[in-house]
Amino acid sequence: MSVKKSNKKNKLQLVKGMKDILPDEQNYWDMVRAKVKNIARSYGFARIDTPIVESTGLFKRGVGEDTDVVSKEMYSFVTEGGDKLSLRPENTAGVVRSYIEHGMLNLPQPVKLYYMGPFFRHDNPQAGRYRQFWQFGFEVIGESEAVIDAQLIAISFYVLKDLGLDAEIHINSVGDNNCRPQYLKVLKKYYQDRKDDLCHDCVERLAKNPLRILDCKNKKCQSLSEEAPQMVDHLCEACKNHFMAVLEYLDELDVKYNLNPRIVRGLDYYTRTAWEIFLPSNEEGKLNALGGGGRYDDLVETLGGRPTPAVGFAIGIERVLAKLQENKITPTPAPDFDIYVAQLGVEARKKALKLFEELRQDGLQVTENMSKKGLKDQLDIADKRGTKYTLILGQKEISDGTVLIRDMENGVQEIVDYNKIKNEIRKRLEHKVMKNSKLKKIS
Ligand code: HAM
């Protein structure tokens, strides 16, 4: 028993809440990355990569010390030199830090940036919730016009649509420093009068951030929130006009949205527009948030820059992939190879190793498996990889200075001089392409 126990203890395994991305899944990841890059290019976003480790103060100041993400979920540590650092739980604060630090406010505004990378939150792992997860995100810094909010909401919708997912946008305005304090007073009073019906967490929220009670998942709190005063009814004139303009642009773009007074977001930097992106779940009545975003007009100043409006969003890649798999959406397979290099015997393997590299460097789509010894195995692999020709090198070919070319379509094999193989294979490949395109035209 004790032996078993110690074995278990010594077994090295995946850390709780973390996930390996295995080779089989990589084509899904490639598909998402390609779509994100593509849409970013169309809309004029430049890529930014900021470090995974930032100073803890950045998130405390930027995201908010009282938010769950910062107060409960952050991986923080102190280095031997005494620096207080954290693994980034999100990227808006990091991107804004970089924007300020690199003087991007002197560039033509707005600055449009996008990113993709891993993030860390020490939350309770469950379906769709990991401790290391990936996000892609888009940020526009230096523009207050509502058209940009609408465009970003549209991008968050289109990127999922391009992947084959029909998302729902839920949108709200959380006001600004002008109108929100007054609304918070009204909201606090509302919940204060019903305090006995609130869950334990919400009683705490009532003191620190009553807005967050609106998105509590507890049934009792939710039913109280249905009747709660709404931010949209307490917006100042400027915020109201901004919100109306965002909705008008969305109407113009024909992007559907649900007005949802419960969208308040879990991070402190938001002002005005806030939205979340949902996909209906298989479980009835349950919606899964794939992403979220909003305007954060005060963040640049909070982090030490001059007042600069901004807006952005991020989407969780694991959640997107889960939905793609649930909806049986598969990535397009990688293109087939043209040539397989097969080898039989020690001498042939040496020569095949060289031939493979020469063909690859020559720009040909060539593949191999040097650890296989038998011809049948190698022809099977060549077949699976969709190759048009297999080049076979055996003992006889080595002594004759030749190569055997096998046409994988009909099995016909021909002997070719080793030194002429590159030209010969190119000629045959071109011929095959021409023949196939003619056949396509006829049919
Ligand atoms: P967020 O709503 O905290 O926003 O995260 C965005 C998305 O990241 C979520 O909707 C979810 O898909 C994914 N996500 C968050 N936590 C986890 C987790 N533990 N496991 C798996 N996926 C997760 C932000 O992070 C803001 N920075 C978005 C933003 C950009 N706002 C303005 N600009």
Side-chain angles (χ1 to χ4, degrees), residues 246-296:
V246 174
L247 301 183
E248 275 167 30
Y249 281 118
L250 288 176
D251 290 337
E252 197 60 41
L253 282 168
D254 228 359
V255 171
K256 304 271 173 294
Y257 52 82
N258 299 286
L259 292 175
N260 185 340
R262 304 254 193 87
I263 301 295
V264 290
R265 311 284 296 128
L267 317 166
D268 276 357
Y269 49 62
Y270 291 109
T271 50
R272 295 192 169 173
T273 321
W275 77 97
E276 281 186 18
I277 307 136
F278 293 99
L279 271 191
S281 148
N282 280 351
E283 288 171 59
E284 215 177 311
K286 200 177 159 217
L287 287 169
N288 279 331
L290 258 61
R295 191 157 266 293
Y296 49 94

Side-chain angles (χ1 to χ4, degrees), residues 166-186:
D166 216 358
E168 277 177 25
I169 303 290
H170 287 228
I171 184 171
N172 192 20
S173 173
V174 293
D176 64 5
N177 274 338
N178 231 341
C179 49
R180 202 184 322 156
Q182 188 53 34
Y183 168 66
L184 289 182
K185 272 190 200 156
V186 178

Side-chain angles (χ1 to χ4, degrees), residues 59-60 62-73 89-90 121 174 180 205 209 211-217 262-271 274-276 289 291-294:
F59 301 113
K60 282 194 173 173
V63 177
E65 215 156 340
D66 290 334
T67 58
D68 285 355
V69 167
V70 171
S71 67
K72 297 183 185 158
E73 297 167 8
E90 63 95 57
R121 294 185 191 176
V174 293
R180 202 184 322 156
R205 285 178 187 133
N209 189 357
L211 210 55
R212 292 305 314 278
I213 303 177
L214 286 166
D215 74 352
C216 176
K217 304 289 174 283
R262 304 254 193 87
I263 301 295
V264 290
R265 311 284 296 128
L267 317 166
D268 276 357
Y269 49 62
Y270 291 109
T271 50
W275 77 97
E276 281 186 18

Side-chain angles (χ1 to χ4, degrees), residues 89-92 115 121 123 128-131 133 135 138-139 265 267 269-270 289-294 296 311-316 318-319:
E90 63 95 57
N91 214 22
T92 309
Y115 49 83
R121 294 185 191 176
D123 200 352
R129 183 166 298 161
Y130 301 100
R131 289 182 173 173
F133 59 96
Q135 280 184 352
F138 287 68
E139 313 286 350
R265 311 284 296 128
L267 317 166
Y269 49 62
Y270 291 109
L290 258 61
Y296 49 94
V311 55
F313 74 87
I315 289 182
E318 286 85 355
R319 294 191 188 175

Side-chain angles (χ1 to χ4, degrees), residues 7-8 16 21 26 30 141 145 153 155 187 196 199 227 301-302 304 324 328 335 366 386 389 391 396 438 442:
N7 268 349
K8 204 173 166 195
K16 189 175 169 189
I21 307 170
Q26 293 292 348
D30 287 346
I141 308 178
E145 286 294 327
I153 294 169
I155 294 173
L187 191 67
D196 294 345
C199 74
E227 301 295 319
E301 197 181 2
T302 307
L324 291 175
K328 311 249 176 317
V366 58
Y389 294 97
L391 305 182
K396 183 164 186 328
K438 268 189 199 155
I442 292 165

Side-chain angles (χ1 to χ4, degrees), residues 435-443:
K435 200 173 108 193
N436 287 346
S437 70
K438 268 189 199 155
L439 282 176
K440 251 191 201 159
K441 265 189 201 157
I442 292 165
S443 66

Side-chain angles (χ1 to χ4, degrees), residues 376-428:
K376 187 174 174 313
D377 274 358
Q378 297 187 63
L379 289 177
D380 281 352
I381 297 170
D383 211 36
K384 274 196 199 122
R385 295 186 190 170
T387 54
K388 298 182 180 80
Y389 294 97
T390 294
L391 305 182
I392 305 167
L393 281 161
Q395 205 49 51
K396 183 164 186 328
E397 285 73 29
I398 299 298
S399 42
D400 293 354
T402 58
V403 181
L404 211 53
I405 297 190
R406 182 186 174 97
D407 187 324
M408 295 300 286
E409 225 173 311
N410 52 26
V412 173
Q413 300 190 160
E414 277 175 68
I415 298 165
V416 175
D417 189 333
Y418 183 89
N419 296 319
K420 294 191 179 143
I421 192 67
K422 275 194 219 161
N423 281 343
E424 188 59 35
I425 197 80
R426 279 202 185 279
K427 240 186 354 208
R428 288 182 188 223

